[in-house]
Structure formats: structure tokens, C-alpha cells
Amino acid sequence: MTVATSSREQKKIIASYFDSTGCPRSEGSPELAFKLHDFGYRGVSSVEYAMRVPCPLCLRHDLPPHTQLHGTQASVVVARIARLVSVIDASDDSPRDHMRCFRSAGLGGAAHLINFMGTDTLAGILLAKRFYLEKGMPGFSIPAAEHSTITSWGRERELDAFRNMLTSYPTGLVAVVSDSYNIYDACEKLWGTELKQMILDRDGTLVVRPDSGEPKVIVVEVLKILTERFGCTTNQKGFRMLPPQIRVIQGDGISYESLGEILQAMQDAGFAADNLAFGSGGALLQKVNRDTQKIAFKCSEITDNKGKTTLVYKDPISDHGKMSKKGRLTLEKDSTGKVVTKTEGRGDPMKDMLVEVFRDGKMMKEYNFAEIRKRAQI
């Protein structure tokens, strides 16, 4: 619930900057479907496992020289590592423990897929297909270099590492992390000079990924270098767009708070929002809890065996902000169209927007993933 809401709010921010910087958007905003990519869980997804692992791990994975291990493949590897970690943890010997990380990743990953279609969390795809009757493929990824697949070539051969990504994936989208040593030289001298013609001749799009520094500063600096080297066009509102063969993705430090700051910095510098996509992992899937949006499940009314009804609520004198709602509740739209909660049985059941889904172990109403996605459109 929290991940889905946070993801949707970030989509609304991106949509607003699409509009203000002259980027076209059609009904349902399909143009935004891949603008916030779930980078997947990097390490264990449940905090308790991260805290309880009793020893450091050294992992060896034998691959042919310079094999690219991109996002979705890394997600599988990390899921298996998470399973290993839970087995090592001797404090809890339940045979189901190794699935906790996979389940929490699945819930968060599927929640994000309600709003976007880019993901490296395979568990989210599997959950959507199994429990929400998704017939097609709910999420997609692209070949993407991680730091180790670049730095394993050595500093002197970074150009060869970059060229290898372009030759290994001659068509379509491919993302390459470019800040292993010097992001400015990478954009100006490697991408923008040595490999420039190869990029422009390619049938697809190279996505350059800076991954360090102050995001709202580094994104603008990277865009300035790339427009100098590759040129740009100007849209109807006067904002600059890179050629279709090259784009940027910012995947470091992305959250609800930082995303708008980056887009505002781009707008101030004269760049259209469509030049950039975002990636988020930790902040999207792990830096959330029930207090993020003050979510809680509370009993609000009971009826005893004699038929007496009692309002059930709390109202701590030390924090009235934690007062819970009481009585029978309905969720309705008021005269202005605002969604409000009616308490203590004062609402109109005929106007109640809530639908009973689950009662006493029985599924009363089942939604498929497509229905949920449609309802979440902005």
C-alpha cells in the first residue's frame, strides 16, 4: 500500500514536469510507464536479516570474461543470496524463513508495477501473475551495466568496456553506468567523442547513468555535456531535447523528496523532462514503514453478544495526531468531489466507495492486475 502510493505520487510529479516542459502526454500517460524503474532489492530486503547475519560473506560466481550481468539477472542472484543469508542465520530455523526476503520484494515490486512497467524485481512480476491474474508480462527491463562489469576491465580500458556494451547490444535500449572514474570525461571524451558516431548510427538508445554526486547538480551537468557533444532540438515550449539515440537515467538518491528537485533543476536549466528517467531501489522498496503515510489497521466498533454496540478508538493525550477513527466508517465523495471518511455511522452506505474484498477467510471480490492499473491511472 505504501509503496504503491509513493510510486504513484512520484508519477504525478514526473507528469507535472512533462507538462511544464512541453513533453507530450496522452490519456493514461503511457509515456511515463518507464520513467521510474524499480532497480530491485540490492542485498537483503528485510531489515531483520541484514541485522542478524553473523559473518561477512565472500561470494564467487564464475562467468566467461567480461560477461554482462544486468539488472534482472542480478535480481535472481540477490534473491538466492538472501536465501543463503537466511539459512546461515542460526537464530531461526524455520524452513520458511528463506522466503521472507523474496516475499517482501514481491509485494513491493508488484505495488510499484501498478504505476510503472520498468523493473528488475522478478519477484514482483511473479506475484502479479500468480495472485492478480496478470496474463501478459507486467514488467520489463533492459540490458544495463553495473559498476563491476565496467571496472573489471580496468581503468585504462573503460573505453573498451563501453564499446563492448554497444557491440553486445547493437539494437534497442542499453544503459551504462558511467561514473566509475570520471563522469565528465566519460560523457565528453568517451561517449561524446570516441563512441559518438557509433551511438548515432545505432538502432536504439544509449542511456547514460551517473551514479554519484548531488543528483540535482550532476544530472544538469551531464545533460549540458551531452547536448554540447550530440546536439539537441527545441520543443514547442523552448526546452531542449537530446537526440533519440541518447538519454540519461539517474538512479542514485532517488526518492519522493529528491525527484522533484532534480526535475526542477532541469527545467531551470532549460531541459525537457523527457531527457531523463529515474531508477530507485532502496528508497522505493525498503525505506518505507507504516508511519511513512500514517497507515494503521484499527478496530473501530464492536457489538457484544447482547447486541450492545461500543465505539472503539484511541486518543492519546500525548499525541492527538494518533487518534483513531471510531464507529462504522464509509469512504465518500463530498459536494466538492473530495474523498472523505464518514465516522460513527454518519455516512451513507449507498455512497460508500469501499468494496468488501475479504471476509472470514473467503474472497468476496477479486481484481486482476489490469483493473488495478487502470484505476491508478493519472
Side-chain angles (χ1 to χ4, degrees):
M1 189 187 306
T2 303
V3 173
T5 303
S6 174
S7 172
R8 188 170 186 269
E9 289 301 308
Q10 291 180 71
K11 188 175 185 179
K12 288 161 68 174
I13 293 173
I14 297 171
S16 70
Y17 280 95
F18 253 61
D19 296 341
S20 63
T21 61
C23 303
R25 241 183 356 114
S26 52
E27 185 178 358
S29 301
E31 297 84 359
L32 306 183
F34 294 95
K35 285 299 182 182
L36 179 59
H37 192 94
D38 171 10
F39 271 173
Y41 50 108
R42 295 291 188 261
V44 290
S45 186
S46 297
V47 174
E48 63 268 25
Y49 284 117
M51 298 301 294
R52 296 188 312 193
V53 176
C55 61
L57 298 176
C58 178
L59 302 171
R60 174 174 174 172
H61 192 67
D62 293 319
L63 294 169
H66 308 307
T67 298
Q68 304 297 336
L69 185 66
H70 54 78
T72 50
Q73 295 169 321
S75 180
V76 174
V77 172
V78 172
R80 290 173 179 170
I81 294 171
R83 176 173 179 169
L84 172 63
V85 168
S86 66
V87 171
I88 291 173
D89 177 14
S91 63
D92 193 337
D93 59 1
S94 168
R96 297 178 181 176
D97 283 347
H98 65 269
M99 291 303 295
R100 289 183 184 174
C101 295
F102 195 79
R103 284 200 302 264
S104 59
L107 289 169
H112 176 68
L113 287 174
I114 292 171
N115 305 294
F116 294 93
M117 297 183 71
T119 184
D120 290 338
T121 303
L122 290 176
I125 291 174
L126 296 175
L127 188 145
K129 292 182 72 66
R130 179 176 179 182
F131 296 106
Y132 287 91
L133 312 177
E134 175 59 37
K135 301 296 184 184
M137 178 54 65
F140 301 85
S141 190
I142 65 171
E146 299 292 338
H147 282 102
S148 60
T149 63
I150 299 299
T151 57
S152 60
W153 289 72
R155 184 167 190 151
E156 296 75 17
R157 297 188 65 203
E158 186 178 32
L159 175 61
D160 294 330
F162 286 178
R163 184 184 287 112
N164 178 66
M165 288 297 294
L166 297 179
T167 54
S168 296
Y169 304 99
T171 61
L173 287 156
V174 59
V176 182
V177 65
S178 304
D179 75 323
S180 298
Y181 308 109
N182 188 326
I183 183 65
Y184 307 111
D185 281 354
C187 292
E188 181 179 357
K189 298 176 182 178
L190 304 186
W191 297 127
T193 302
E194 298 285 348
L195 300 172
K196 177 179 177 179
Q197 199 57 49
M198 189 176 183
I199 294 167
L200 293 175
D201 292 342
R202 190 171 171 273
D203 180 18
T205 301
L206 165 70
V207 186
V208 176
R209 177 158 76 97
D211 198 50
S212 52
E214 178 64 32
K216 64 183 179 182
V217 175
I218 204 73
V219 165
V220 172
E221 290 176 338
V222 165
L223 286 170
K224 285 180 178 178
I225 295 172
L226 293 178
T227 52
E228 288 172 2
R229 300 307 304 162
F230 290 90
C232 65
T233 57
T234 303
N235 67 22
Q236 294 179 348
K237 287 193 174 183
F239 289 91
R240 288 176 284 176
M241 278 295 303
L242 285 166
Q245 295 93 335
I246 190 161
R247 289 289 185 269
V248 178
I249 185 168
Q250 175 64 29
D252 177 55
I254 299 304
S255 65
Y256 172 80
E257 292 77 17
S258 68
L259 189 140
E261 294 178 354
I262 297 167
L263 288 166
Q264 184 61 51
M266 286 177 57
Q267 179 174 296
D268 293 343
F271 291 103
D274 201 17
N275 286 295
L276 183 69
F278 296 94
S280 186
L284 180 67
L285 299 183
Q286 292 168 269
K287 291 184 180 179
V288 293
N289 54 55
R290 73 174 196 170
D291 290 327
T292 303
Q293 293 163 349
K294 294 186 179 295
I295 292 174
F297 291 89
K298 303 288 185 184
C299 176
S300 61
E301 182 181 290
I302 63 169
T303 302
D304 64 23
N305 55 9
K306 295 182 180 179
K308 180 183 177 182
T309 298
T310 303
L311 301 180
V312 180
Y313 68 101
K314 70 173 187 178
D315 185 12
I317 192 171
S318 54
D319 187 356
H320 291 294
K322 287 193 171 184
M323 181 176 68
S324 61
K325 293 177 174 61
K326 50 189 172 182
R328 291 188 177 270
L329 312 175
T330 58
L331 190 70
E332 307 176 19
K333 287 185 177 180
D334 64 15
S335 58
T336 67
K338 182 181 178 180
V339 177
V340 296
T341 301
K342 299 284 187 177
T343 63
E344 300 181 55
R346 295 170 180 162
D348 182 351
M350 298 301 295
K351 297 179 180 179
D352 193 1
M353 298 170 63
L354 295 179
V355 176
E356 187 176 22
V357 173
F358 189 80
R359 181 196 293 181
D360 299 332
K362 182 180 180 181
M363 187 72 74
M364 309 297 291
K365 170 68 178 177
E366 193 158 5
Y367 294 99
N368 62 44
F369 207 63
E371 290 175 302
I372 298 170
R373 274 181 161 170
K374 184 176 181 180
R375 195 161 60 238
Q377 286 181 355
I378 60 172

